[in-house]
Amino acid sequence: MSLPALLTQHIARRPQRIALLQHVAEQGSITRAAKAAGISYKAAWDAIDELNNLATQPLVERSTGGRGGGGARLSAEGERVLRLYQRLQTLQAQLLDAAEESSDLDLLGRLMLRTSARNQLQGRISGLRREGRHDRVSLDLGGGLQIEALITRGSTERLELTLDTTVVALLKAGWVQLLLEGDHVEAGSNCLMATVEQVLTDEDGPSEVRLVLGNGQTLCAFADEHWLTQHELDAGSQVRVQFHPSYVLLGVPV
């Protein structure tokens, strides 16, 4: 079984994140892997969440152990991806030798942009419906989960979106709203059940809430620390998340 095109391209563009898999395999801990990679614990979590979301199966299996982290190991799929990364390193060296001049690499870098959106969910287009100047795009995230995006007709055409196209849905953490039982769901909004995996407090701003969806993909949201404490929301808590379809940005491989 081949890797999804989106994950394969991510490996080529973000090798430092794939290299983190090697440290996880060697260290058996996200905390120690982050230290070995020279990045923060939070950055390591972000990298692993993004990789797991883009893969068809989780690459890293972990157990949460509080603020200090917990144990972690590569899944069979993670080990396979790591082997692929090691082969890509050889191909990368060949590419550098083949580049005619340094400006060639600068151009490629500009064409393959990174995004500031914290949440990246891989899905397959299961529906396309025209609504005036916009198209409502239904995305199947797997595991019985679906969300909708509302984009312009021009965007649909420019991205060449059709049924069964694989895309990445981009969503800023600030656009994800946490809901308690009984809270009103805005009409037309996406609403998903999620489990709180971890709450990271920040003295300078709102807390970061890491969430796991029913299909294993993850989301990040922000919430006021006092609100979280008041409603006793912590790891293991069940919540709903909502976000409007117009907040969902779509991306496809170039």
Side-chain angles (χ1 to χ4, degrees):
M1 179 181 64
S2 62
L3 286 176
L6 292 168
L7 178 59
T8 304
Q9 292 196 19
H10 183 92
I11 292 174
R13 299 172 189 175
R14 307 285 293 280
Q16 71 276 18
R17 288 201 160 186
I18 307 298
L20 180 62
L21 297 180
Q22 179 69 54
H23 294 297
V24 171
E26 294 172 349
Q27 303 295 331
S29 160
I30 295 177
T31 301
R32 293 194 295 272
K35 184 176 181 180
I39 61 176
S40 69
Y41 174 64
K42 179 176 177 296
W45 269 85
D46 289 344
I48 291 170
D49 281 342
E50 185 174 344
L51 293 173
N52 282 344
N53 281 353
L54 291 175
T56 55
Q57 303 174 45
L59 306 184
V60 176
E61 299 171 346
R62 62 198 174 194
S63 58
T64 304
R67 296 183 63 86
R73 65 183 181 88
L74 297 188
S75 65
E77 181 71 357
E79 293 175 350
R80 191 171 73 87
V81 169
L82 182 58
R83 290 194 297 270
L84 174 61
Y85 164 69
Q86 292 166 343
R87 292 200 297 271
L88 282 177
Q89 284 184 307
T90 301
L91 293 176
Q92 183 182 44
Q94 295 173 355
L95 172 63
L96 291 174
D97 289 340
E100 295 180 3
E101 51 186 274
S102 61
S103 60
D104 292 342
L105 301 180
D106 291 337
L107 173 60
L108 290 176
R110 291 194 299 271
L111 294 178
M112 297 184 291
L113 298 177
R114 298 170 64 177
T115 172
S116 63
R118 291 292 305 279
N119 297 309
Q120 300 186 30
L121 303 174
Q122 182 175 239
R124 178 184 58 82
I125 296 180
S126 58
L128 275 170
R129 186 170 72 253
R130 191 156 193 178
E131 296 185 359
R133 297 180 179 178
H134 293 82
D135 283 344
R136 185 172 293 271
V137 184
S138 300
L139 301 179
D140 182 357
L141 301 181
L145 298 184
Q146 289 212 5
I147 62 173
E148 292 185 336
L150 198 62
I151 63 176
T152 65
R153 181 66 179 175
S155 294
T156 301
E157 295 172 349
R158 179 165 47 83
L159 297 176
E160 300 179 346
L161 301 182
T162 60
L163 292 178
D164 290 327
T165 299
T166 297
V167 300
V168 170
L170 306 174
L171 184 66
K172 282 189 165 185
W175 293 341
V176 179
Q177 180 183 1
L178 299 181
L179 299 177
L180 301 173
E181 185 176 354
D183 285 349
H184 173 70
V185 178
E186 181 182 351
S189 286
N190 293 297
C191 185
L192 301 172
M193 293 296 300
T195 301
V196 176
E197 183 175 54
Q198 189 180 35
V199 177
L200 301 174
T201 58
D202 188 340
E203 296 179 356
D204 299 323
S207 297
E208 180 178 310
V209 184
R210 296 180 181 274
L211 305 151
V212 179
L213 302 177
N215 64 354
Q217 291 188 335
T218 57
L219 281 177
C220 175
F222 295 131
D224 180 74
E225 183 177 357
H226 175 73
W227 183 85
L228 292 170
T229 302
Q230 178 184 359
H231 297 287
E232 300 181 340
L233 292 183
D234 206 343
S237 298
Q238 301 294 309
V239 296
R240 290 180 297 170
V241 295
Q242 85 167 1
F243 47 92
H244 196 271
S246 61
Y247 291 158
V248 180
L249 308 178
L250 301 182
V252 297
V254 295

